[in-house]
Amino acid sequence: MSTAILTGQPVPGSSIEGDLRSLGFEVRVASDATDAEALLAQVPADRRVAMVDARFVGHVHALRLGLTDPRFPIAAVPGAVTAQPAGRQALTRAVARENSAGSGTAGAGAPPRAKSSVGDVDSLADRIVTSLTADGTDVHRPELGSLVAAVPADPQASNEARQAVAAVDDEAVRLKSAVKARDGFFTTYFISPYSRYLARWCARRGLTPNQVTTASLITALIAAGCAATGTRGGFIAAGILLIFSFVLDCTDGQLARYSLQYSTLGAWLDATFDRAKEYAYYAGLALGAARGGDDVWALALGAMVLQTCRHVVDFSFNEANHDATANTSPTAALSDKLDSVGWTVWIRRMIVLPIGERWAMIAVLTAATTPRITFYALLIGCAFAATYTTAGRVLRSLTRKAKRTDRAAQALADLADNGPLAALVARATRARLGAPLLVALAGTAVLAVALFSGVTWAPVAGAVVYTVAAGQALYRPLKGALDWLVPPLFRAAEYGTVLVLAAKADVNGALPAAFGLVAAVAYHHYDTVYRIRGNAGAPPAWLVRAIGGHEGRTLLVTVLAAVLSASQFTVALTVLAVAVALVVLVESIRFWVTAHQGGAPAVHDEGEPA
């Protein structure tokens, strides 16, 4: 329950009380600032509270944006300010200061002081916002666009404001704002024109974004099951269901924006379910192909490895640069110039093969061709997209003079996922081998050569060198221009090792077991990303130690491949996959559910362009 305190006397004919109640607020009326301060003290500390000028004129959606968004401790629109429990103390101090400064007078009958920079007249809510800002408190002010939010100074101004309200369709603005501002071509023109109405339908029936997210996951899993049948009818059904799953995937975010239902748990579910849906579908395609006598598990695992490494490049680059100073470069300037030309924007968004274009391609090819052709197209498309985006980011990094922060360096270290063996190497070796990226490159190259050498124990020796390189790569903060490439290199090395050794085993079940292991480890790496994005920090150190770190798992897999027979190696990969999955899933679910129940700040992660 939330409480809204109306200050002053409502204007005759005003709907402000009804509007606030429609937004879930219990309304209390204060005659002056002293009364408002007393009413504020009576509101339980665990409630959201808003202070609204009774003369407010504006759209309900303007109030909704300003007063109900759960992501911000304190937010305001002209004539109204709100605070969640985390911001109550700052709000209480500001109200007390304004009450003392104004001698307890406010509202319609109060003598006007200087005009507020926020509203049309001197409003207690606007003065509180000014006081909060002067105190250094971060006050979120949503972009209202054509929506009206004002506190008119006189009847004529009030009438003009009401005419402005009538001239703008509140619901149309709300529907438009439900769609992500930056999206892919397929989503913008083939999904969002109708999925926004599906989001409104869900909102009016009380459905939550998390429920829609879960429905999208279930639909994708059914699609994977249809693909696993290996029949043409199953492939056609799988393609159709995959597209419908994507429609629901767009709908959940649009529902969150439409109804402002943001949460920490919801952001995590949306992000992790996207990966689970796509990779489960890869597995379904591989199973379907196997039923028809075509083994494409290596292609399926390769597609998962490539797609995951693409995401790690995105995550690492963003974490390295999102708070860097002097973020300009000639490459960035050229990119901005290209964005100013309409058609180049869509071309550039399409060639990176975002989730909308990617899923549409997979769905159409599944229905019309074979799993092998689908995976070939996916691998070629993702490889081109990865080359394009990575090259552009490398150029930006080399041409930009930026100072990276300690927070960015720590995020990259967390994304690297070094385990106890690498930590032991870092402590035991005094000689420093070189720059972090060069050391990581050298270790990865040695491992790659060893994997393809044809010598039984060579991969183990390569993994030992790789472990030393992992410890050396993080001996100092990752603040170099290209140090954000270190985590993607480690991901490619670990996943690639599992893929190559499983393929060389050349027995039934080895590649599916490798697929399961990479999926479990990738989940851990995605979970690390989403914790960092949600400002929750990296997973606990005990978890990283328990599952060995990337270098520990790589070394273990090479040893298992060397000492076990091919069939035994398959069993070992399966056991390892189950063990890693259980540990990381239990800890991840515990963390995110606890964070949600503990009132962690709500987030809305737009993530990969949908």
Side-chain angles (χ1 to χ4, degrees), residues 253-571:
Q254 291 166 356
L255 174 58
R257 286 181 286 270
Y258 180 85
S259 56
L260 300 184
Q261 296 183 73
Y262 303 127
S263 69
T264 300
L265 180 63
W268 171 69
L269 287 176
D270 184 47
T272 55
F273 281 9
D274 277 354
R275 305 287 76 79
K277 288 180 288 189
E278 186 166 2
Y279 299 157
Y281 193 82
Y282 292 175
L285 277 177
L287 288 170
R291 286 180 177 271
D294 189 12
D295 186 355
V296 297
W297 275 106
L299 298 178
L301 180 51
M304 181 166 68
V305 169
L306 179 56
Q307 189 58 36
T308 303
C309 290
R310 276 189 65 196
H311 285 142
V312 177
V313 168
D314 294 342
F315 299 147
S316 296
F317 179 80
N318 291 335
E319 287 301 326
N321 293 284
H322 87 282
D323 58 355
T325 57
N327 270 350
T328 58
S329 72
T331 308
L334 175 61
S335 178
D336 292 339
K337 186 175 182 179
L338 288 174
D339 280 345
S340 66
V341 182
W343 63 271
T344 64
V345 174
W346 294 118
I347 294 295
R348 295 173 70 221
R349 290 187 191 179
M350 290 172 67
I351 62 177
V352 299
L353 209 62
I355 188 171
E357 276 73 3
R358 192 168 68 249
W359 282 27
M361 180 185 73
I362 294 171
V364 171
L365 291 177
T366 298
T369 64
T370 65
R372 180 171 291 273
I373 292 175
T374 301
F375 280 124
Y376 281 150
L378 181 62
L379 286 166
I380 293 170
C382 286
F384 177 81
T387 302
Y388 171 79
T389 55
T390 304
R393 286 167 178 171
V394 167
L395 286 174
R396 288 189 184 209
S397 300
L398 291 174
T399 56
R400 139 193 300 160
K401 295 180 179 179
K403 181 179 180 181
R404 291 169 176 83
T405 64
D406 292 336
R407 179 202 176 281
Q410 183 58 54
L412 290 179
D414 292 334
L415 290 174
D417 193 35
N418 272 8
L421 292 180
L424 178 62
V425 167
R427 291 194 299 268
T429 56
R430 295 184 178 181
R432 301 308 180 190
L433 301 179
L437 178 59
L438 294 178
V439 172
L441 275 169
T444 302
V446 169
L447 177 60
V449 170
L451 287 171
F452 291 100
S453 67
V455 180
T456 302
W457 284 91
V460 177
V464 171
V465 174
Y466 174 73
T467 299
V468 174
Q472 284 283 312
L474 266 68
Y475 80 90
R476 66 183 184 190
L478 298 178
K479 292 186 176 182
L482 295 178
D483 283 353
W484 56 269
L485 285 169
V486 170
L489 270 176
F490 288 161
R491 296 297 79 77
E494 180 183 0
Y495 301 159
T497 297
V498 177
L499 169 58
V500 171
L501 293 178
K504 290 174 68 175
D506 196 26
V507 295
N508 289 335
L511 282 167
F515 189 96
L517 176 58
V518 171
V521 175
Y523 176 87
H524 163 63
H525 292 142
Y526 281 117
D527 187 55
T528 301
V529 167
Y530 301 134
R531 293 193 194 211
I532 293 173
R533 279 186 169 183
N535 295 317
W542 71 261
L543 177 64
V544 177
R545 290 195 297 268
I547 59 176
H550 69 97
E551 81 291 350
R553 291 186 298 270
T554 301
L555 181 59
L556 176 60
V557 170
T558 59
V559 171
L560 292 174
V563 302
L564 299 177
S565 67
S567 59
Q568 291 172 330
F569 179 60
T570 299
V571 174

Side-chain angles (χ1 to χ4, degrees), residues 208-227 237-238 240-249 252 269-270 272-278 280-281 359:
T208 67
N210 290 353
Q211 291 170 332
V212 178
T213 301
T214 303
S216 176
L217 173 66
I218 293 172
T219 304
L221 294 179
I222 295 173
C226 291
I240 294 172
L241 287 171
L242 186 65
I243 290 296
F244 183 60
S245 173
F246 181 65
V247 171
L248 292 176
D249 183 54
D252 64 2
L269 287 176
D270 184 47
T272 55
F273 281 9
D274 277 354
R275 305 287 76 79
K277 288 180 288 189
E278 186 166 2
Y281 193 82
W359 282 27

Side-chain angles (χ1 to χ4, degrees), residues 134-296:
D135 195 33
T137 303
D138 186 19
V139 180
H140 172 67
R141 294 178 176 87
E143 178 61 48
L144 297 181
S146 59
L147 295 175
V148 177
V151 182
D154 52 51
Q156 180 180 349
S158 179
N159 184 56
E160 292 173 353
R162 293 180 191 282
Q163 290 177 358
V165 169
V168 175
D169 187 342
D170 179 288
E171 181 61 19
V173 172
R174 188 180 179 189
L175 272 173
K176 183 178 180 180
S177 63
V179 177
K180 193 184 300 183
R182 177 183 171 85
D183 230 328
F185 179 84
F186 178 76
T187 307
T188 299
Y189 290 103
F190 292 91
I191 304 296
S192 292
Y194 57 87
S195 61
R196 70 184 74 182
Y197 295 100
L198 180 57
R200 181 173 66 181
W201 183 89
C202 292
R204 290 177 175 177
R205 282 151 185 81
L207 298 177
T208 67
N210 290 353
Q211 291 170 332
V212 178
T213 301
T214 303
S216 176
L217 173 66
I218 293 172
T219 304
L221 294 179
I222 295 173
C226 291
T229 64
T231 64
R232 177 52 51 196
F235 288 148
I236 293 173
I240 294 172
L241 287 171
L242 186 65
I243 290 296
F244 183 60
S245 173
F246 181 65
V247 171
L248 292 176
D249 183 54
C250 294
T251 300
D252 64 2
Q254 291 166 356
L255 174 58
R257 286 181 286 270
Y258 180 85
S259 56
L260 300 184
Q261 296 183 73
Y262 303 127
S263 69
T264 300
L265 180 63
W268 171 69
L269 287 176
D270 184 47
T272 55
F273 281 9
D274 277 354
R275 305 287 76 79
K277 288 180 288 189
E278 186 166 2
Y279 299 157
Y281 193 82
Y282 292 175
L285 277 177
L287 288 170
R291 286 180 177 271
D294 189 12
D295 186 355
V296 297

